[in-house]
Amino acid sequence: MEDIEAIAALQDPVRRRLYEYVAAQGREVGRNEAAEAVGVARTLAAHHLDRLTEAGLLDSGSRRLTGRSGPGAGRPAKVYARARTERSVSLPARDYRTAAELLAEAAEEAGLDAGLRTAARRRGDALRGPAAPCGDLEEAMRVLAARGYEPHVEEEEDPEAAEGAEGPEGKAGTDGRVVRMRNCPFHAVAERFPPLVCGMNLALLEGLLGADGPVRVRMDARPGECCVVVESSKNNER
C-alpha cells in the first residue's frame, strides 16, 4: 500500500510536473528554480515539493545555492532530488524482481554470460524490427527515452580518451558528444550482478540502436547512471 500511496501523490498535475522536472535534472533543484520551470508560485511549488518528499518520491536537503560559504554567503536553501528508492505497483501482487535475481544468479554460476548477450542482442534486433539503425544521437535519444533510460547529452572533455574509440589516424570515433542515461531499467538486478546484467544491457542496446549504423554503444560505468553510453561512430574530421 505504501507504493500505491506514493504513486498516487503524482495524480495532481502540478505536483507531477514538479516531480518530472526535478527527476530530469539529475542534480539538486531549489524551490525557485522548480517553480519557475513549471510556471507556478514559489509557495505552491514548495508545498508540492514537500508533499513529494513526504511520499518518498524526492529527497530533500539544504545548501547555499550561491556556492559561497562564510559570512555574507546567505542562508542555506532547501533543495530536492529524485529519491533512489524504486516504486512499483502490481495488482494482483507479482514478484518479478526475485525471479530475475534467481535467473541471473543461475546464469552467472553456469557461466552463461555469452549466451545471455546473444539473446539480448537478438531481442534488441527484434524490438527495432525492420527499422534502419539509428541515424544520429538525436534519434537514439528518442528510442532510449521511450524505453525509460532517461538519456541526456554530455560533451566529453577529451574524446580521444574514449576507450576503444580509436580511428584509423588515432582519433576517437566520436564528435565529442556522448549520450549518457540517468536511469537503468535493470538497476535492481544490475546492482547484484553487474558484469552479467551490464553485458546484457550493452548487447540489448546494440541490437536496439543498430551496432553497424552511425551510432554505437560502449561501456563507461559511472555511479548513479546506466553503465552504457552512446556515441557517434563517425571519425572526427581533421
Side-chain angles (χ1 to χ4, degrees), residues 22 31 39 41 56 85 87 103 117 139 149 177 198:
V22 173
R31 288 172 167 174
T85 304
R87 302 287 183 178
L103 290 169
R117 289 194 298 271
E139 183 181 353
Y149 281 91
R177 296 188 307 155
C198 290

Side-chain angles (χ1 to χ4, degrees), residues 44-120:
L44 180 60
H47 166 72
H48 285 304
L49 289 166
D50 286 339
R51 286 291 302 274
L52 289 166
T53 302
E54 291 168 7
L57 296 172
L58 296 181
D59 291 331
S60 64
S62 61
R63 64 178 177 86
R64 290 187 174 90
L65 298 179
T66 61
R68 302 194 306 269
S69 60
R75 297 176 57 186
K78 199 162 188 179
V79 292
Y80 303 84
R82 178 169 58 181
R84 301 304 300 174
T85 304
E86 293 183 13
R87 302 287 183 178
S88 62
V89 175
S90 176
L91 298 174
R94 298 288 187 261
D95 189 5
Y96 300 113
R97 175 174 173 175
T98 296
E101 290 178 345
L102 288 171
L103 290 169
E105 183 176 354
E108 190 172 74
E109 289 178 354
L112 300 178
D113 303 56
L116 179 59
R117 289 194 298 271
T118 299

Side-chain angles (χ1 to χ4, degrees), residues 91-224:
L91 298 174
R94 298 288 187 261
D95 189 5
Y96 300 113
R97 175 174 173 175
T98 296
E101 290 178 345
L102 288 171
L103 290 169
E105 183 176 354
E108 190 172 74
E109 289 178 354
L112 300 178
D113 303 56
L116 179 59
R117 289 194 298 271
T118 299
R121 173 69 178 272
R122 188 163 56 240
R123 174 59 63 90
D125 287 335
L127 290 171
R128 179 161 51 89
C134 288
D136 52 34
L137 293 183
E138 286 68 29
E139 183 181 353
M141 287 183 69
R142 290 192 293 272
V143 173
L144 293 166
R147 301 202 64 82
Y149 281 91
E150 299 182 7
H152 64 283
V153 173
E154 284 190 5
E155 298 286 341
E156 284 201 331
E157 293 182 3
D158 182 13
E160 292 187 30
E163 183 179 353
E166 290 295 322
E169 299 180 12
K171 281 286 185 180
T174 172
D175 60 3
R177 296 188 307 155
V178 297
V179 173
R180 293 186 178 272
M181 294 162 269
R182 293 194 175 99
N183 183 50
C184 172
F186 317 109
H187 173 74
V189 187
E191 276 197 319
R192 289 196 57 189
F193 308 95
L196 181 78
V197 178
C198 290
M200 176 199 75
N201 189 29
L202 179 71
L204 178 71
L205 293 183
E206 284 177 342
L208 182 64
L209 302 180
D212 300 325
V215 301
R216 65 179 172 192
V217 297
R218 60 178 170 86
M219 287 287 196
D220 189 7
R222 194 161 74 174

